[in-house]
mmCIF file of all heavy atoms in Angstrom:
data_model
loop_
_atom_site.group_PDB
_atom_site.id
_atom_site.type_symbol
_atom_site.label_atom_id
_atom_site.label_comp_id
_atom_site.label_asym_id
_atom_site.label_seq_id
_atom_site.Cartn_x
_atom_site.Cartn_y
_atom_site.Cartn_z
ATOM 1 N N VAL A 1 0.843 -1.207 0.000
ATOM 2 C CA VAL A 1 0.000 0.000 0.000
ATOM 3 C C VAL A 1 0.869 1.244 0.000
ATOM 4 O O VAL A 1 0.603 2.192 -0.724
ATOM 5 C CB VAL A 1 -0.948 -0.009 1.219
ATOM 6 C CG1 VAL A 1 -1.716 1.286 1.323
ATOM 7 C CG2 VAL A 1 -1.890 -1.187 1.152
ATOM 8 N N GLY A 2 1.896 1.260 0.800
ATOM 9 C CA GLY A 2 2.784 2.411 0.899
ATOM 10 C C GLY A 2 2.119 3.592 1.592
ATOM 11 O O GLY A 2 0.907 3.594 1.843
ATOM 12 N N LEU A 3 2.907 4.586 1.893
ATOM 13 C CA LEU A 3 2.399 5.770 2.581
ATOM 14 C C LEU A 3 1.408 6.535 1.705
ATOM 15 O O LEU A 3 0.378 7.016 2.179
ATOM 16 C CB LEU A 3 3.567 6.663 3.004
ATOM 17 C CG LEU A 3 3.258 7.837 3.912
ATOM 18 C CD1 LEU A 3 2.481 7.404 5.156
ATOM 19 C CD2 LEU A 3 4.538 8.546 4.312
ATOM 20 N N GLY A 4 1.691 6.609 0.409
ATOM 21 C CA GLY A 4 0.765 7.278 -0.510
ATOM 22 C C GLY A 4 -0.596 6.607 -0.525
ATOM 23 O O GLY A 4 -1.644 7.254 -0.504
ATOM 24 N N GLY A 5 -0.607 5.276 -0.553
ATOM 25 C CA GLY A 5 -1.861 4.525 -0.525
ATOM 26 C C GLY A 5 -2.607 4.703 0.775
ATOM 27 O O GLY A 5 -3.838 4.817 0.795
ATOM 28 N N LEU A 6 -1.869 4.747 1.882
ATOM 29 C CA LEU A 6 -2.512 4.982 3.179
ATOM 30 C C LEU A 6 -3.211 6.334 3.192
ATOM 31 O O LEU A 6 -4.340 6.459 3.682
ATOM 32 C CB LEU A 6 -1.483 4.914 4.305
ATOM 33 C CG LEU A 6 -2.017 5.279 5.697
ATOM 34 C CD1 LEU A 6 -3.012 4.245 6.189
ATOM 35 C CD2 LEU A 6 -0.885 5.452 6.692
ATOM 36 N N LEU A 7 -2.553 7.336 2.642
ATOM 37 C CA LEU A 7 -3.153 8.676 2.643
ATOM 38 C C LEU A 7 -4.398 8.743 1.765
ATOM 39 O O LEU A 7 -5.380 9.403 2.134
ATOM 40 C CB LEU A 7 -2.123 9.716 2.213
ATOM 41 C CG LEU A 7 -0.989 9.928 3.233
ATOM 42 C CD1 LEU A 7 0.147 10.726 2.621
ATOM 43 C CD2 LEU A 7 -1.504 10.598 4.489
ATOM 44 N N THR A 8 -4.395 8.065 0.629
ATOM 45 C CA THR A 8 -5.584 8.106 -0.235
ATOM 46 C C THR A 8 -6.682 7.210 0.303
ATOM 47 O O THR A 8 -7.835 7.635 0.399
ATOM 48 C CB THR A 8 -5.252 7.686 -1.689
ATOM 49 O OG1 THR A 8 -4.661 6.401 -1.691
ATOM 50 C CG2 THR A 8 -4.351 8.696 -2.360
ATOM 51 N N GLU A 9 -6.342 6.001 0.691
ATOM 52 C CA GLU A 9 -7.357 5.043 1.135
ATOM 53 C C GLU A 9 -7.775 5.250 2.588
ATOM 54 O O GLU A 9 -8.941 5.088 2.927
ATOM 55 C CB GLU A 9 -6.850 3.608 0.950
ATOM 56 C CG GLU A 9 -6.561 3.245 -0.486
ATOM 57 C CD GLU A 9 -7.793 3.314 -1.375
ATOM 58 O OE1 GLU A 9 -8.876 2.896 -0.939
ATOM 59 O OE2 GLU A 9 -7.660 3.804 -2.518
ATOM 60 N N GLY A 10 -6.828 5.567 3.441
ATOM 61 C CA GLY A 10 -7.127 5.673 4.865
ATOM 62 C C GLY A 10 -7.510 7.061 5.349
ATOM 63 O O GLY A 10 -8.212 7.207 6.344
ATOM 64 N N TYR A 11 -7.033 8.079 4.656
ATOM 65 C CA TYR A 11 -7.293 9.449 5.108
ATOM 66 C C TYR A 11 -8.144 10.250 4.135
ATOM 67 O O TYR A 11 -8.426 11.420 4.377
ATOM 68 C CB TYR A 11 -5.964 10.174 5.373
ATOM 69 C CG TYR A 11 -5.280 9.688 6.618
ATOM 70 C CD1 TYR A 11 -4.429 8.596 6.585
ATOM 71 C CD2 TYR A 11 -5.514 10.299 7.851
ATOM 72 C CE1 TYR A 11 -3.823 8.124 7.731
ATOM 73 C CE2 TYR A 11 -4.911 9.833 8.999
ATOM 74 C CZ TYR A 11 -4.066 8.740 8.938
ATOM 75 O OH TYR A 11 -3.476 8.280 10.083
ATOM 76 N N GLY A 12 -8.513 9.663 3.017
ATOM 77 C CA GLY A 12 -9.407 10.342 2.083
ATOM 78 C C GLY A 12 -8.775 11.482 1.310
ATOM 79 O O GLY A 12 -9.446 12.425 0.918
ATOM 80 N N ILE A 13 -7.469 11.395 1.068
ATOM 81 C CA ILE A 13 -6.792 12.405 0.258
ATOM 82 C C ILE A 13 -6.979 12.011 -1.215
ATOM 83 O O ILE A 13 -6.842 10.846 -1.574
ATOM 84 C CB ILE A 13 -5.278 12.473 0.583
ATOM 85 C CG1 ILE A 13 -5.032 12.614 2.093
ATOM 86 C CG2 ILE A 13 -4.602 13.583 -0.203
ATOM 87 C CD1 ILE A 13 -5.571 13.860 2.725
ATOM 88 N N ALA A 14 -7.280 12.983 -2.052
ATOM 89 C CA ALA A 14 -7.497 12.707 -3.476
ATOM 90 C C ALA A 14 -6.219 12.165 -4.112
ATOM 91 O O ALA A 14 -5.116 12.653 -3.832
ATOM 92 C CB ALA A 14 -7.944 13.973 -4.199
ATOM 93 N N GLU A 15 -6.378 11.182 -4.969
ATOM 94 C CA GLU A 15 -5.241 10.603 -5.681
ATOM 95 C C GLU A 15 -4.480 11.681 -6.452
ATOM 96 O O GLU A 15 -3.253 11.668 -6.493
ATOM 97 C CB GLU A 15 -5.723 9.500 -6.628
ATOM 98 C CG GLU A 15 -4.622 8.889 -7.463
ATOM 99 C CD GLU A 15 -3.530 8.208 -6.651
ATOM 100 O OE1 GLU A 15 -3.836 7.576 -5.630
ATOM 101 O OE2 GLU A 15 -2.350 8.331 -7.044
ATOM 102 N N ALA A 16 -5.207 12.636 -7.029
ATOM 103 C CA ALA A 16 -4.566 13.706 -7.804
ATOM 104 C C ALA A 16 -3.643 14.553 -6.924
ATOM 105 O O ALA A 16 -2.639 15.093 -7.401
ATOM 106 C CB ALA A 16 -5.626 14.598 -8.452
ATOM 107 N N GLU A 17 -3.956 14.659 -5.639
ATOM 108 C CA GLU A 17 -3.108 15.440 -4.737
ATOM 109 C C GLU A 17 -1.892 14.641 -4.277
ATOM 110 O O GLU A 17 -0.812 15.186 -4.076
ATOM 111 C CB GLU A 17 -3.922 15.923 -3.527
ATOM 112 C CG GLU A 17 -3.159 16.902 -2.684
ATOM 113 C CD GLU A 17 -4.034 17.711 -1.745
ATOM 114 O OE1 GLU A 17 -5.269 17.573 -1.766
ATOM 115 O OE2 GLU A 17 -3.454 18.494 -0.976
ATOM 116 N N VAL A 18 -2.063 13.343 -4.126
ATOM 117 C CA VAL A 18 -0.963 12.491 -3.664
ATOM 118 C C VAL A 18 -0.010 12.138 -4.806
ATOM 119 O O VAL A 18 1.200 12.001 -4.596
ATOM 120 C CB VAL A 18 -1.522 11.206 -2.997
ATOM 121 C CG1 VAL A 18 -0.418 10.215 -2.692
ATOM 122 C CG2 VAL A 18 -2.288 11.560 -1.730
ATOM 123 N N ALA A 19 -0.527 12.014 -6.023
ATOM 124 C CA ALA A 19 0.263 11.538 -7.169
ATOM 125 C C ALA A 19 1.607 12.237 -7.337
ATOM 126 O O ALA A 19 2.635 11.561 -7.500
ATOM 127 C CB ALA A 19 -0.566 11.630 -8.451
ATOM 128 N N PRO A 20 1.684 13.585 -7.287
ATOM 129 C CA PRO A 20 2.994 14.217 -7.480
ATOM 130 C C PRO A 20 3.990 13.927 -6.351
ATOM 131 O O PRO A 20 5.188 14.083 -6.522
ATOM 132 C CB PRO A 20 2.690 15.717 -7.526
ATOM 133 C CG PRO A 20 1.210 15.864 -7.544
ATOM 134 C CD PRO A 20 0.608 14.556 -7.194
ATOM 135 N N LEU A 21 3.476 13.491 -5.194
ATOM 136 C CA LEU A 21 4.336 13.225 -4.034
ATOM 137 C C LEU A 21 4.567 11.735 -3.797
ATOM 138 O O LEU A 21 5.338 11.361 -2.913
ATOM 139 C CB LEU A 21 3.683 13.807 -2.771
ATOM 140 C CG LEU A 21 3.313 15.286 -2.779
ATOM 141 C CD1 LEU A 21 2.473 15.633 -1.569
ATOM 142 C CD2 LEU A 21 4.575 16.129 -2.815
ATOM 143 N N ARG A 22 3.871 10.884 -4.569
ATOM 144 C CA ARG A 22 3.857 9.448 -4.270
ATOM 145 C C ARG A 22 5.257 8.841 -4.189
ATOM 146 O O ARG A 22 5.561 8.106 -3.246
ATOM 147 C CB ARG A 22 3.009 8.691 -5.269
ATOM 148 C CG ARG A 22 2.875 7.213 -4.890
ATOM 149 C CD ARG A 22 1.900 6.475 -5.770
ATOM 150 N NE ARG A 22 0.536 6.913 -5.600
ATOM 151 C CZ ARG A 22 -0.278 6.515 -4.618
ATOM 152 N NH1 ARG A 22 0.167 5.693 -3.685
ATOM 153 N NH2 ARG A 22 -1.526 6.941 -4.561
ATOM 154 N N ALA A 23 6.118 9.121 -5.124
ATOM 155 C CA ALA A 23 7.458 8.523 -5.110
ATOM 156 C C ALA A 23 8.207 8.924 -3.841
ATOM 157 O O ALA A 23 8.846 8.082 -3.196
ATOM 158 C CB ALA A 23 8.242 8.942 -6.354
ATOM 159 N N ARG A 24 8.121 10.187 -3.486
ATOM 160 C CA ARG A 24 8.789 10.667 -2.271
ATOM 161 C C ARG A 24 8.175 10.043 -1.019
ATOM 162 O O ARG A 24 8.890 9.611 -0.110
ATOM 163 C CB ARG A 24 8.713 12.193 -2.206
ATOM 164 C CG ARG A 24 9.602 12.768 -1.115
ATOM 165 C CD ARG A 24 9.661 14.273 -1.196
ATOM 166 N NE ARG A 24 8.842 14.794 -0.106
ATOM 167 C CZ ARG A 24 8.283 15.973 -0.077
ATOM 168 N NH1 ARG A 24 8.412 16.786 -1.092
ATOM 169 N NH2 ARG A 24 7.597 16.370 0.941
ATOM 170 N N LEU A 25 6.836 9.988 -0.969
ATOM 171 C CA LEU A 25 6.151 9.412 0.193
ATOM 172 C C LEU A 25 6.478 7.929 0.345
ATOM 173 O O LEU A 25 6.767 7.452 1.446
ATOM 174 C CB LEU A 25 4.638 9.598 0.073
ATOM 175 C CG LEU A 25 4.105 11.018 0.200
ATOM 176 C CD1 LEU A 25 2.643 11.086 -0.201
ATOM 177 C CD2 LEU A 25 4.289 11.540 1.618
ATOM 178 N N ASP A 26 6.412 7.199 -0.758
ATOM 179 C CA ASP A 26 6.637 5.764 -0.695
ATOM 180 C C ASP A 26 8.104 5.404 -0.464
ATOM 181 O O ASP A 26 8.415 4.267 -0.107
ATOM 182 C CB ASP A 26 6.096 5.088 -1.957
ATOM 183 C CG ASP A 26 4.565 5.117 -1.993
ATOM 184 O OD1 ASP A 26 3.943 5.386 -0.937
ATOM 185 O OD2 ASP A 26 3.994 4.884 -3.077
ATOM 186 N N ALA A 27 9.006 6.361 -0.629
ATOM 187 C CA ALA A 27 10.426 6.116 -0.368
ATOM 188 C C ALA A 27 10.772 6.283 1.117
ATOM 189 O O ALA A 27 11.848 5.875 1.550
ATOM 190 C CB ALA A 27 11.284 7.062 -1.209
ATOM 191 N N ILE A 28 9.875 6.856 1.892
ATOM 192 C CA ILE A 28 10.133 7.080 3.321
ATOM 193 C C ILE A 28 10.160 5.741 4.043
ATOM 194 O O ILE A 28 9.246 4.934 3.909
ATOM 195 C CB ILE A 28 9.069 8.021 3.933
ATOM 196 C CG1 ILE A 28 9.202 9.415 3.325
ATOM 197 C CG2 ILE A 28 9.195 8.067 5.454
ATOM 198 C CD1 ILE A 28 8.103 10.381 3.748
ATOM 199 N N ARG A 29 11.205 5.499 4.817
ATOM 200 C CA ARG A 29 11.357 4.260 5.581
ATOM 201 C C ARG A 29 11.261 4.499 7.079
ATOM 202 O O ARG A 29 11.055 3.556 7.838
ATOM 203 C CB ARG A 29 12.693 3.583 5.257
ATOM 204 C CG ARG A 29 12.759 3.050 3.874
ATOM 205 C CD ARG A 29 11.865 1.818 3.707
ATOM 206 N NE ARG A 29 11.237 1.824 2.400
ATOM 207 C CZ ARG A 29 9.925 1.820 2.182
ATOM 208 N NH1 ARG A 29 9.088 1.810 3.158
ATOM 209 N NH2 ARG A 29 9.433 1.804 0.963
ATOM 210 N N ASP A 30 11.450 5.729 7.533
ATOM 211 C CA ASP A 30 11.330 6.027 8.957
ATOM 212 C C ASP A 30 9.864 6.277 9.294
ATOM 213 O O ASP A 30 9.045 6.564 8.424
ATOM 214 C CB ASP A 30 12.160 7.264 9.321
ATOM 215 C CG ASP A 30 13.654 7.005 9.240
ATOM 216 O OD1 ASP A 30 14.069 5.859 9.506
ATOM 217 O OD2 ASP A 30 14.401 7.943 8.895
ATOM 218 N N SER A 31 9.532 6.186 10.569
ATOM 219 C CA SER A 31 8.162 6.433 11.008
ATOM 220 C C SER A 31 7.753 7.860 10.694
ATOM 221 O O SER A 31 8.589 8.764 10.619
ATOM 222 C CB SER A 31 8.037 6.196 12.517
ATOM 223 O OG SER A 31 8.264 4.836 12.819
ATOM 224 N N VAL A 32 6.453 8.040 10.495
ATOM 225 C CA VAL A 32 5.907 9.368 10.248
ATOM 226 C C VAL A 32 4.805 9.650 11.265
ATOM 227 O O VAL A 32 4.182 8.739 11.804
ATOM 228 C CB VAL A 32 5.348 9.529 8.818
ATOM 229 C CG1 VAL A 32 6.449 9.427 7.783
ATOM 230 C CG2 VAL A 32 4.251 8.537 8.538
ATOM 231 N N LEU A 33 4.590 10.933 11.495
ATOM 232 C CA LEU A 33 3.491 11.401 12.336
ATOM 233 C C LEU A 33 2.479 12.037 11.396
ATOM 234 O O LEU A 33 2.819 12.934 10.628
ATOM 235 C CB LEU A 33 3.993 12.439 13.352
ATOM 236 C CG LEU A 33 2.924 13.137 14.197
ATOM 237 C CD1 LEU A 33 2.256 12.156 15.152
ATOM 238 C CD2 LEU A 33 3.547 14.294 14.980
ATOM 239 N N ILE A 34 1.236 11.554 11.448
ATOM 240 C CA ILE A 34 0.166 12.109 10.620
ATOM 241 C C ILE A 34 -0.792 12.829 11.556
ATOM 242 O O ILE A 34 -1.337 12.230 12.487
ATOM 243 C CB ILE A 34 -0.553 11.000 9.825
ATOM 244 C CG1 ILE A 34 0.458 10.259 8.938
ATOM 245 C CG2 ILE A 34 -1.682 11.590 8.991
ATOM 246 C CD1 ILE A 34 -0.112 9.051 8.217
ATOM 247 N N VAL A 35 -0.958 14.130 11.317
ATOM 248 C CA VAL A 35 -1.772 14.969 12.194
ATOM 249 C C VAL A 35 -2.959 15.515 11.407
ATOM 250 O O VAL A 35 -2.785 16.250 10.432
ATOM 251 C CB VAL A 35 -0.940 16.147 12.764
ATOM 252 C CG1 VAL A 35 -1.768 16.979 13.721
ATOM 253 C CG2 VAL A 35 0.318 15.633 13.452
#
């Protein structure tokens, strides 16, 4: 799923908004804080 998928599927972020960031988001290996 990756972080990008979590944001679209779990948090209701539009795919169009996540798409430009997906590679960067999915490359993150350290924990993240989602607020």
Side-chain angles (χ1 to χ4, degrees):
V1 174
L3 189 53
L6 174 67
L7 292 167
T8 56
E9 298 298 319
Y11 287 87
I13 309 297
E15 177 61 38
E17 189 163 357
V18 172
L21 305 170
R22 186 173 293 279
R24 191 172 105 204
L25 291 169
D26 290 345
I28 294 174
R29 292 289 143 239
D30 290 328
S31 295
V32 295
L33 173 67
I34 302 174
V35 183

